[in-house]
Amino acid sequence: MQHGRAADRIGVYFDREINGRLRGVSRMASLDIILERSDVNYSQAEKETLAESKNQTYRKLLEGMGYSDVSDEVRTTLSVLRERGYKLAIGSSSKNTPLILERTGARCYFDAVSDGNNITRSKPDPEVFLKAAQFIGLKPEECVVVEDATAGIDAGADGGFYTAAIGAACGYARADFNLKTFSDLLSIL
């Protein structure tokens, strides 16, 4: 939990609930959430330095990722969806998406990637998903956004997409579908 390490370095309280709020948001937005409990008023330059330090720690953790960090269930589900003719795209606010896909060997499952490197607004803004749909030549209403963060469900819903919640977002009222497992996608598509 690199966010916790960043909070520890600057002496700010951090817990699982705060960590959950960081899902799907940009690097700077996540830093602002971490700093909410800080007594220090950081300048923009100091925030950028903190964000870069946090990202360097995160990238070191990512370097340790490998093929086994994507479950067989996820790989099988993505393969079946591709066999069925679905176009698949990633919509992530992270600028580290290319590294994660490369380290896990998961890039081959996706027709397009929209991430923090080609957007100007992070979730809950729908920009990342709108670009992903554009990249694969589909309209939002022809797509399902699968998300584990409420910010992502909000982004998908606000962009006119169907939404499927999994993990921490499961049960969120704005989701069109709730998935207990990733393979549940096969029964809704």
Side-chain angles (χ1 to χ4, degrees):
M1 187 166 11
Q2 91 282 359
H3 303 299
R5 290 179 186 165
D8 287 346
R9 274 197 302 271
I10 58 175
V12 175
Y13 176 77
F14 189 82
D15 61 18
R16 285 188 182 276
E17 183 179 325
I18 294 167
N19 191 58
R21 291 177 54 210
L22 305 179
R23 290 179 180 269
V25 300
S26 72
R27 187 177 304 164
M28 290 308 289
S30 68
L31 180 63
D32 286 338
I33 291 168
I34 291 169
L35 294 178
E36 286 174 350
R37 294 186 180 216
S38 174
D39 294 331
V40 178
N41 189 10
Y42 291 94
S43 69
Q44 186 60 35
E46 290 170 320
K47 285 182 180 182
E48 289 172 14
T49 299
L50 287 170
E52 183 54 34
S53 174
K54 180 175 75 74
N55 189 55
Q56 286 175 5
T57 300
Y58 183 51
R59 285 184 66 85
K60 285 179 187 171
L61 292 172
L62 294 179
E63 290 293 335
M65 289 185 83
Y67 187 89
S68 65
D69 287 302
V70 175
S71 73
D72 289 339
E73 176 200 8
V74 169
R75 289 182 191 281
T76 299
T77 301
L78 294 173
S79 292
V80 170
L81 291 172
R82 289 189 65 80
E83 288 168 10
R84 290 182 181 177
Y86 287 99
K87 293 182 180 180
L88 304 177
I90 293 274
S92 172
S93 295
S94 176
K95 291 183 177 184
N96 293 309
T97 302
L99 176 61
I100 294 168
L101 291 173
E102 183 250 318
R103 297 295 303 158
T104 61
R107 179 62 179 94
C108 62
Y109 296 104
F110 300 98
D111 299 293
V113 175
S114 177
D115 63 15
N117 295 299
N118 66 357
I119 61 171
T120 58
R121 296 174 307 280
S122 292
K123 302 170 196 170
D125 188 284
E127 179 187 20
V128 71
F129 297 134
L130 292 169
K131 286 194 178 212
Q134 178 185 16
F135 292 162
I136 58 174
L138 295 173
K139 297 175 185 169
E141 61 270 18
E142 299 174 305
C143 303
V144 176
V145 167
V146 179
E147 263 291 341
D148 67 348
T150 57
I153 296 294
D154 287 339
D158 290 348
F161 297 84
Y162 289 100
T163 58
I166 193 165
C170 195
Y172 185 48
R174 292 195 74 191
D176 297 300
F177 305 99
N178 287 288
L179 309 176
K180 289 187 175 140
T181 65
F182 193 73
S183 61
D184 287 346
L185 271 174
L186 299 175
S187 65
I188 65 169
L189 297 176

